Amino acid sequence: MEHWILKPFKELTTQELYAILELRVNVFIIEQNCPYHELDWQDQHALHLWQEQNGKVSMYSRIFLDNDSGEGKIGRVIVQKDFRGEGRGKILMEKAIDILKSRKAKSILLAAQADLKKFYGELGFKQVSDLYMWDDIPHIDMELKL
């Protein structure tokens, strides 16, 4: 059975935060060759969901929920390079969706890299924006109604 870790920012240890940030920087900045402001001051408002493999974060996402509107958001969806191609991204997204459902979210939004439209579409997300550039990468907004 897979062991999931879910914590709000204030409960993260410094080691956990460092490991999460290492993965995010390695994938979103180095691997994608995209210098951008990874530290966006949103982590403090998020739930952090991840799994570890061999002492390293193997997959991760952050989750937001506005309790007043019921609007959820999922972002920073990452599978570490060594674990891609095994369906883990889908497993990670399904877990994040289940967490938001259990917390009574009415919808889930995400800013998807445009080349992942099919991936998110297979999870039930629908495109709700035109194509736009974000940090020099084409993106679309997608929504899942619950």
Side-chain angles (χ1 to χ4, degrees), residues 4-7 20 23-24 28 43 46-51 57-64 73-79 89 91-97 99-100 120:
W4 291 98
I5 303 165
L6 179 68
K7 291 185 176 185
I20 288 166
L23 177 62
R24 287 174 21 184
F28 293 131
D43 289 308
L47 288 172
H48 300 268
L49 173 67
W50 76 96
Q51 279 191 350
V57 177
S58 60
M59 55 181 155
Y60 166 88
S61 73
R62 64 183 187 183
I63 301 168
F64 300 89
K73 291 183 183 174
I74 299 173
R76 300 295 200 269
V77 177
I78 311 173
V79 176
I91 293 166
L92 172 62
M93 281 299 299
E94 288 171 342
K95 181 67 174 176
I97 291 166
I99 288 166
L100 284 166
Y120 291 116

Side-chain angles (χ1 to χ4, degrees), residues 20 30 77 80 95 98 144:
I20 288 166
I30 296 170
V77 177
Q80 199 261 346
K95 181 67 174 176
D98 286 346
L144 175 63

Side-chain angles (χ1 to χ4, degrees), residues 27-139:
V27 172
F28 293 131
I29 297 175
I30 296 170
E31 186 180 318
Q32 294 183 357
N33 193 25
C34 181
Y36 79 107
H37 294 284
E38 170 56 30
L39 302 177
D40 63 0
W41 291 95
Q42 295 305 303
D43 289 308
Q44 292 84 340
H45 310 288
L47 288 172
H48 300 268
L49 173 67
W50 76 96
Q51 279 191 350
E52 294 177 358
Q53 201 99 4
N54 303 325
K56 290 196 151 211
V57 177
S58 60
M59 55 181 155
Y60 166 88
S61 73
R62 64 183 187 183
I63 301 168
F64 300 89
L65 178 60
D66 181 327
N67 289 314
D68 295 331
S69 69
E71 182 181 279
K73 291 183 183 174
I74 299 173
R76 300 295 200 269
V77 177
I78 311 173
V79 176
Q80 199 261 346
K81 195 174 193 173
D82 295 344
F83 299 102
R84 292 185 199 146
E86 302 173 7
R88 290 175 187 250
K90 182 178 179 195
I91 293 166
L92 172 62
M93 281 299 299
E94 288 171 342
K95 181 67 174 176
I97 291 166
D98 286 346
I99 288 166
L100 284 166
K101 281 181 180 177
S102 74
R103 292 169 185 249
K104 309 295 186 228
K106 295 177 184 164
S107 66
I108 302 172
L109 294 171
L110 54 83
Q113 291 184 7
D115 62 343
L116 294 173
K117 178 181 177 179
K118 182 177 183 238
F119 169 76
Y120 291 116
E122 290 172 353
L123 291 161
F125 285 84
K126 306 279 187 239
Q127 183 174 340
V128 294
S129 78
D130 291 331
L131 185 72
Y132 60 92
M133 296 301 285
W134 186 10
D135 296 317
D136 293 326
I137 297 174
H139 279 73

Side-chain angles (χ1 to χ4, degrees), residues 7-22 50 52 57:
K7 291 185 176 185
F9 182 82
K10 66 183 178 184
E11 292 179 13
L12 295 173
T13 68
T14 54
Q15 293 292 338
E16 289 168 339
L17 179 60
Y18 194 92
I20 288 166
L21 293 175
E22 176 187 40
W50 76 96
E52 294 177 358
V57 177

